[in-house]
Amino acid sequence: MAGWTSDELEKIAAADELQLASARRDGTLREPVTIWVVRHGDDLYVRSWRGRTGGWFRDVQDRHEGRIRAGGVDKDVLFVEPDDDVDDAIDDAYRAKYRRYSSTYVDPMVGPEARAATIRLVPQ
């Protein structure tokens, strides 16, 4: 698997929001949802603030494939559940990037439900 280019990482990480379209079982893409995205090292992560029962999170479980768009970058990706050892770093990334928003929005993104629904975006 190829990694992200430096340019892709910078552009996507700088974007406030990311459009995520998961693939259906037949390979067609669902309508994209708008979510927050954070960078940790050379990886990009998203979370479902509704946890594992969130609609888009359940959808990515069908094929673990889809397409993202953010910061002028369109990319086919794999959706991979990371090890729990990155949870604290991802929490910190959400707090740092989105601190200008009310805790009403940020707190759920670092809560236990969202932590359990963390996805690493891997370019295809």
Side-chain angles (χ1 to χ4, degrees):
M1 269 185 267
W4 297 102
T5 68
S6 295
D7 187 55
E8 289 170 334
L9 277 171
E10 289 172 17
K11 287 179 177 179
I12 295 170
D16 268 352
E17 297 175 327
L18 175 136
Q19 296 288 313
L20 180 148
S22 58
R24 294 182 181 96
R25 291 177 196 245
D26 67 3
T28 61
L29 294 176
R30 291 183 170 86
E31 287 297 313
V33 296
T34 303
I35 58 177
W36 285 353
V37 59
V38 296
R39 178 180 178 176
H40 173 59
D42 290 335
D43 293 312
L44 296 167
Y45 295 88
V46 294
R47 283 181 171 170
S48 169
W49 71 274
R50 289 188 173 146
R52 298 183 74 83
T53 62
W56 75 260
F57 185 85
R58 288 190 324 262
D59 290 344
V60 303
Q61 302 305 303
D62 281 346
R63 288 187 45 145
H64 301 278
E65 297 177 346
R67 186 160 191 78
I68 59 140
R69 177 180 300 135
V73 176
D74 288 306
K75 196 80 167 176
D76 290 325
V77 296
L78 297 175
F79 303 114
V80 177
E81 291 193 48
D83 295 330
D84 292 340
D85 62 348
V86 298
D87 281 340
D88 290 341
I90 304 305
D91 289 351
D92 292 344
Y94 272 101
R95 286 186 188 107
K97 182 173 181 180
Y98 297 106
R99 67 179 163 256
R100 69 186 178 283
Y101 293 97
S102 154
S103 62
T104 302
Y105 299 107
V106 177
D107 286 353
M109 295 305 291
V110 298
E113 292 85 12
R115 283 176 71 129
T118 302
I119 296 289
R120 182 168 56 100
L121 304 174
V122 178
Q124 285 190 300

